[in-house]
Amino acid sequence: MFKILDRYLMKKFLGTFFYSLVLLISIIIVFDIQEKLDDFIEKKAPFDEILFDYYLNFAPYYANMFMFLFIFISVIFFTSKLAGNSEIIAILSAGISYRRMLVPYFQSAALLALLSFFLSAYIIPPATEIRLKFENTYIKSTYQNNDRNIHRQVNDSTYLYLQSYVAQADLGYKFSWEVFNGKQLKEKLLSEYINWDSTKNKWTISNYYIKYYINDKVDSVVTGKKMDTTLAILPKDFNQRINHIETLTSPELSDYIEEQQMRGSENIEAFLVEKYKRIAFPFASFILTLIGVTLSSKKVRGGIGINLGVGLGLSFSYILFMQIFTEFAKGSTLPTLLAVWIPNIIYLIIGIVLYWRTPK
């Protein structure tokens, strides 16, 4: 059962958090409308698609992105007010320990962490796909594909690889097409390059050879200079901005990583980073809550401004560290799991030090 103190602190915490977050998202939406209004009018975007396909899916994406920043700010803001009104002193003077006072803070952080995980794992990926499809249709200009070492799962049994793809010419280099029967490789097509023929609506595959396998052993090989064929993939599948990582739910992401590892694919660090971030970011709710409470539970002469200033500095430094180590992970400079969790480890140590130094 929640005590009166628990309900009071949780109400303060969650009320401040959701109020500030809704206010921020509303402001972001207003500025986004102002920025994109000309595109909406020029491309004649239907109002229902603007509202439901774009902004309805826009809000949870940015809410989750800024969630940890506002957890930190909310804790510092309302705890500083409690300390300024001598409510923290009254709580501790009533015989409630500092550790017991932290319980409703962490209960609130747990609720927000679960919300963040659920959003990032199941709600935001399909919403992001709809939102980015809208952007591709009504907002963005012609896409320039600069990706290298492109891996795609075409269907349950077929995988594609391209070293690079030139969107303007619909030309792909170092092409590989693998067909599996269960876990056994059945057919593998390799080519120097492929090119889309818009007059025939087919792919032209040049300097190719096809290996056919029986029980994972090469049974026969067919070679040729040029071949026109249809494949279960079109140029539009490369000429789009949709980030494949962001549109996968957590189960789909885990399955995709497992399949790519089984096939021996390279450059899956970005997928691993996304998988680990979906756990590491919610865990940050507890760390930033601890730091926020310990920073702001003492009454200071400068008032709430000093606490907010320190809090903003720490929160932005956390975001900076997360971005830096994420890039290290994607570049294989550090093990992916370690790189994603290093900011949490650093700030957990900061939180523990602040906790032991806080007057209780």
Side-chain angles (χ1 to χ4, degrees), residues 194-212:
I194 62 170
N195 189 42
W196 176 253
D197 190 332
S198 58
T199 59
K200 299 179 182 178
N201 287 329
K202 290 184 178 182
W203 291 100
T204 299
I205 301 177
S206 303
N207 298 331
Y208 69 89
Y209 61 94
I210 307 172
K211 294 181 179 179
Y212 296 95

Side-chain angles (χ1 to χ4, degrees), residues 280-291:
F281 272 20
F283 188 80
S285 301
F286 299 99
I287 299 172
L288 298 179
T289 296
L290 176 62
I291 295 175

